[in-house]
Each structure stands twice: as C-alpha cells, then as structure tokens.
Amino acid sequence: MKRFYQTIILMLGLTCIPSWLYAGILASQTRVIYSEGEREQTLMLANTNEYPILTQVWIDDGSNNAEFEHAPFVVLPAVFQMKPKDVKGIRLIFNGMELAKDRESLYWLNLYEIPAVKKQDLEHDYLNLSMNTQLKVYFRPEALKVLPIDEINRQLQFSFPDHGAQSAEIIIKNPTPFYVTAISLSLFNKTKQTTVYEWLNILLPPFESPLLKLENVDLNPSDAYVLKYHLIDDRGEVHAFEQAIPISK
C-alpha cells in the first residue's frame, strides 16, 4: 500500500498543474474519460495530509453543488473517512442518462475534504479549513473517433474578428466533438519579439468558437502575431503549440 501511495504522488507530481499542489487529497488522474459502454470506473485517492479527514464526493456541472440532481454518474462511496497517508478507491457508475451522441459531455467530480477536529480543540477557538478539489469528467460517446492531440490542434482555428485591425478579441474555433483545455496562452508579437497578452487557461467546448478578450491592447496591422499555448491530452500530459494569427484588413 505504501508503494502504491508513493506511485500516486509521483504521477501527480509529473502531470498536475500548480493549483493541485495545495490540495490535501489527490487523485491518481487529473481527469476522467468515461467511454460510453463502460460499466464503471475506479479512481484512487490519496490523503497527503498529516491528519485524518472526512471526505464527501459528488458529480455536478461545476457549480460546487452537492445537491445537483442531473448528474449522469453515481459516485460510491459518497462519504468516507481517510487516515493520514491513506489510499481509497471510489467508483464512478453511469446511471444511463441520455446524453449527446455527437460530442463529449462535461461534468465535474468534487472531492470535498474536512479535517478531523480533536476533542480538546472543541473547548477553544480554532480555525478549521475545508477544501474542494474538482476534476473534469468527460462522457465520450462510442461513435466518436479518438484523435491524437496533434490532430486536434491542427483543426483549431485562430483569428481576429473582422471588425477593425485593432481588435480586442481573438476567436478560437473548435470544430471537433471534443472538449479542449488550453493553458498558458500568450499572444506574441514576432515583429517586436515581445509578449502582448497572456491568459492562464481556457476551455474550448465542442463545435463552438469562444472569444479571448484582450484588455487595453492595441494591435498594429503591420505586425506579425503568434499565439503560443499548451494543450492537455487525455492522460493529463501537456503539449506546446503555436499558430500565427493574421490581422484583419
């Protein structure tokens, strides 16, 4: 069990983004890909705290709502205790809800941890901090052909809106049936060799074209611009890409 716990911590150290490092309860995966037709999936959790915790888990739409009633998955067990350095497996079971067949559906797995309180502390003032960690859960219809991250990137289309050269937005078109997570985005001016603007992350829904806002930025029509970014694949691994963006005339 100790060796298995160490394996989980090593995996997380290699694949997780910095915000995960503050969580006391960590999962063996940074996301769950639930393929249509599977009976269930098991996710391993590790309590990295030096104290026991009470853990509640549930699926919602990202709203942190433990009473969310329209989740397509049941999580078992829903509430359990974990000792320090303990490892626990939870089961995600699809309940048969009707979901889209031509694209992925996205939900969120919540891992809510409450530190145990010593009996003597109840007689004094104390600060007891709880924490909720969220993981993406993708439901992938069996009709979808899985694409490598390089192919998904080739299909993404970046452009400035056609309403003036000094646009304050960038359009990212995702024509694929998959959710795409992009992190560490930066608009780079190749002419001046400088970074114009940066974003932490953005989620690109299937078949949609979200806008990236540029606050207080003027773009020079005669300059060449490149968007540099990283995409996260099914395994949680990060891949670097870049695309040139033509200025609208």
Side-chain angles (χ1 to χ4, degrees):
M1 182 64 73
K2 180 178 180 182
R3 182 176 181 181
F4 184 70
Y5 172 84
Q6 292 172 338
T7 301
I8 289 181
I9 298 304
L10 176 60
M11 290 170 59
L12 289 165
L14 293 174
T15 63
C16 292
I17 58 178
S19 62
W20 270 73
L21 299 179
Y22 296 98
I25 184 170
L26 298 180
S28 55
Q29 303 167 214
T30 60
R31 69 242 310 112
V32 176
I33 310 295
Y34 200 107
S35 299
E36 185 179 9
E38 287 186 285
R39 292 179 59 87
E40 63 179 62
Q41 280 204 29
T42 299
L43 185 69
M44 303 305 296
L45 306 178
N47 178 18
T48 66
N49 296 300
E50 300 296 332
Y51 48 82
I53 58 174
L54 177 66
T55 305
Q56 180 182 7
V57 294
W58 71 89
I59 299 282
D60 64 21
D61 58 352
S63 59
N64 295 324
N65 179 13
E67 304 299 324
F68 185 72
E69 298 180 350
H70 303 290
F73 303 98
V74 176
V75 187
L76 299 174
V79 179
F80 50 90
Q81 293 181 329
M82 297 185 72
K83 298 178 181 178
K85 311 305 179 184
D86 197 8
V87 173
K88 176 78 172 180
I90 60 173
R91 300 161 58 205
L92 280 70
I93 304 172
F94 182 57
N95 63 15
M97 180 181 292
E98 189 69 26
L99 297 175
K101 298 293 187 180
D102 66 337
R103 69 194 68 193
E104 288 184 330
S105 297
L106 173 62
Y107 291 86
W108 298 81
L109 173 64
N110 294 263
L111 309 175
Y112 186 71
E113 58 183 279
I114 305 173
V117 179
K118 295 181 180 179
K119 188 173 296 186
Q120 58 267 29
D121 290 340
L122 296 176
E123 302 175 1
H124 308 283
D125 292 334
Y126 66 93
L127 181 63
N128 191 19
L129 297 177
S130 59
M131 179 178 294
N132 187 35
T133 302
Q134 289 188 314
L135 281 73
K136 296 183 181 74
V137 179
Y138 301 99
F139 179 82
R140 181 170 294 170
E142 60 182 355
L144 299 187
K145 179 183 177 181
V146 179
L147 300 176
I149 197 67
D150 289 354
E151 176 59 29
I152 290 178
N153 175 66
R154 280 192 288 270
Q155 294 193 37
L156 298 181
Q157 301 169 26
F158 300 82
S159 63
F160 291 108
D162 189 16
H163 51 67
Q166 294 184 339
S167 171
E169 300 169 337
I170 294 176
I171 300 174
I172 304 182
K173 182 179 181 179
N174 175 18
T176 77
F178 304 98
Y179 277 90
V180 180
T181 299
I183 62 173
S184 303
L185 301 91
S186 61
L187 181 63
F188 186 75
N189 185 320
K190 293 186 68 175
T191 305
K192 298 180 180 179
Q193 294 294 304
T194 59
T195 298
V196 178
Y197 205 81
E198 294 180 305
W199 300 263
L200 179 61
N201 64 74
I202 183 171
L203 183 65
L204 308 174
F207 306 127
E208 293 190 16
S209 302
L211 293 174
L212 292 182
K213 297 288 187 178
L214 291 85
E215 303 294 341
N216 303 315
V217 173
D218 291 328
L219 302 179
N220 188 337
S222 63
D223 289 345
Y225 293 90
V226 171
L227 190 65
K228 299 181 178 182
Y229 53 95
H230 297 77
L231 302 182
I232 302 179
D233 65 17
D234 284 355
R235 300 178 59 183
E237 296 178 353
V238 179
H239 303 261
F241 299 101
E242 65 177 55
Q243 286 201 35
I245 306 179
I247 290 288
S248 299
K249 299 299 184 180

